Amino acid sequence: MTRKYLFAGALALLAGCATQSHHTSRPPAPTPTTAADVIVPEAWVSAPVPEDELDSLAAWPTEDGRVWLIATAKSSHRLAVYDGDTGERLRTVGGPGQAPGQFNRPNGIAVFGDLLFVAERDNHRVQVMRLPGFTPVAQIGQDALKVPYGLWLDETGPGQLDLFVTDSFMADFRTGKLPPLSELDQRIKHFRVEEDGDGSVRWRLLGSFGATDEAGALRMVESIAGDPLHDRLLIADEDRRVGSTLRDYTLSGRYRGLSLPAFDADAEGIALWPCAVDRGYWIAVDQLTPTLFRVFDRTSLAPRGIFRGEQVSNTDGETLYAASTRRFPAGALFALHNDQSLAAFDLRDVARALNLGNDCLP
């Protein structure tokens, strides 16, 4: 995640190839070698928009009782807003550029309150906007981030957030050559973000982390999600050469010594499904055709089953909205489909199909 200037030429090359994968050694999404336990039909799949190259998702409840799904569109350098109950595309936001309100290869996205955070790979920053107007508020990390991809937010106090950003710099993007292990302690950047009474946002870099041993090293990183109740960060390592998987870190950046079994393809989106007290499940994307959604116990990380949809494939990002909506009384899992559509799964259908019990259902 360091050495922005060393890789500027490679980044310019990637930016010119709008549909090129961020890791050029990664082949297209293959078919699974692991069978899904069940098929869960999609509640809806949105109309395709191939030119966008959609990547990641965040859900935001509006004042009128709807839920917006906000997706990053890497190739068109904008955000796309969808209705969470219907999949209807409502609007787009932004366009290519470096100014506030513009984007350059937006990727990871997250919401806290009315603040929207968007990681921009080729602007080397996280842009903060205020909803519902998508008003630019701040730009975070321009001097610290090299190739930012994913992000996760943790509320640590009133008006105070910790922001974790994956930073997947490479020694050579064209060949997929990794930096030396000694530099992988820069894989995750940790920021403190504070909102003032006047609505302005201040931030500072608290540090960076990542294991530098073979077992825990974060080689190719994008998706990240956390669970403060269990002091856990799950970080997706996409390097299939060592087995793409999720690695288990503490919130302070210590590798616990545990990585989940290797996925069939790329470990991608990660979503926490919190349930009664401290129970629940993690749902992680295995980027295949069709996509496999791997479900793990929230506490032990023991496997609880695998499901797939009838259509969804080649998924990058996902987001889980556990609150009730008009269409989904128990919430929904929203996922990208083939870089050009969104899809929704009713969480009631997922729970029943995998016999997860009633802990997560109203």
Side-chain angles (χ1 to χ4, degrees):
M1 318 284 214
T2 56
R3 322 299 181 257
K4 167 170 61 178
Y5 302 105
L6 292 179
F7 310 125
L11 290 175
L13 175 64
L14 289 175
C17 302
T19 60
Q20 184 173 342
S21 169
H22 64 286
H23 301 312
T24 57
S25 62
R26 185 177 72 181
T31 57
T33 58
T34 302
D37 297 310
V38 292
I39 298 174
V40 178
E42 295 86 349
W44 53 255
V45 177
S46 69
V49 185
E51 65 268 22
D52 274 341
E53 194 183 1
L54 300 172
D55 186 275
S56 298
L57 282 172
W60 186 68
T62 67
E63 291 185 354
D64 62 0
R66 296 193 298 171
V67 174
W68 282 358
L69 298 175
I70 308 169
T72 53
K74 295 184 292 189
S75 290
S76 58
H77 309 287
R78 59 187 180 179
L79 306 178
V81 183
Y82 291 79
D83 183 279
D85 277 340
T86 66
E88 176 190 0
R89 186 152 169 156
L90 302 175
R91 61 179 293 194
T92 59
V93 177
Q98 297 179 340
Q102 297 178 325
F103 303 98
N104 195 351
R105 199 75 176 179
N107 203 86
I109 188 169
V111 171
F112 184 85
D114 62 356
L115 293 179
L116 177 71
F117 294 74
V118 181
E120 299 178 64
R121 188 192 74 180
D122 292 353
N123 274 338
H124 318 292
R125 69 186 182 188
V126 173
Q127 184 164 183
V128 186
M129 312 179 88
R130 192 172 300 280
L131 299 170
F134 294 90
T135 305
V137 174
Q139 290 80 46
I140 295 173
Q142 299 95 321
D143 296 330
L145 296 169
K146 314 308 174 184
V147 190
Y149 278 106
L151 51 82
W152 178 71
L153 296 165
D154 179 25
E155 183 182 22
T156 52
Q160 179 177 286
L161 301 172
D162 276 8
L163 168 65
F164 298 87
V165 185
T166 58
D167 203 346
S168 203
F169 65 92
M170 302 290 284
D172 189 337
F173 275 102
R174 295 165 297 180
T175 64
K177 183 180 178 181
L178 296 170
L181 284 173
S182 61
E183 294 186 14
L184 298 186
D185 62 353
Q186 302 292 308
R187 270 296 184 241
I188 311 298
K189 299 298 194 310
H190 182 191
F191 299 91
R192 173 66 47 80
V193 180
E194 296 175 293
E195 186 175 10
D196 293 329
D198 62 359
S200 61
V201 169
R202 296 178 289 111
W203 63 272
R204 58 190 172 94
L205 177 67
L206 296 182
S208 59
F209 61 84
T212 56
D213 62 288
E214 290 284 348
L218 300 167
R219 293 166 174 83
M220 291 180 171
V221 291
E222 183 168 359
S223 297
I224 182 172
D227 181 3
L229 192 61
H230 293 91
D231 188 26
R232 171 168 285 144
L233 279 173
L234 287 184
I235 305 167
D237 188 337
E238 296 184 28
D239 193 352
R240 295 189 208 168
R241 293 169 292 191
V242 296
S244 182
T245 187
L246 304 183
R247 306 203 188 278
D248 186 13
Y249 276 70
T250 67
L251 295 179
S252 63
R254 177 179 59 85
Y255 175 56
R256 293 183 190 271
L258 173 66
S259 295
L260 298 182
F263 287 28
D264 286 8
D266 289 347
E268 279 283 355
I270 312 167
L272 177 63
W273 186 3
C275 301
V277 193
D278 63 345
R279 299 180 62 183
Y281 305 96
W282 290 97
I283 302 179
V285 166
D286 198 342
Q287 191 176 38
L288 295 152
T289 304
T291 295
L292 295 183
F293 295 91
R294 297 179 178 266
V295 182
F296 303 94
D297 183 82
R298 178 182 183 178
T299 304
S300 68
L301 300 182
R304 293 300 305 268
I306 301 172
F307 73 93
R308 68 172 179 87
E310 295 178 337
Q311 302 179 55
V312 169
S313 64
N314 193 30
T315 298
D316 277 303
E318 63 175 358
T319 191
L320 191 144
Y321 189 77
S324 174
T325 77
R326 296 168 184 169
R327 175 92 178 259
F328 303 108
L333 177 72
F334 301 101
L336 271 299
H337 168 48
N338 205 29
D339 295 335
Q340 56 190 347
S341 299
L342 276 60
F345 295 94
D346 192 317
L347 288 179
R348 295 172 299 179
D349 296 338
V350 175
R352 292 164 184 160
L354 292 177
N355 295 314
L356 298 180
N358 295 321
D359 285 351
C360 290
L361 300 180

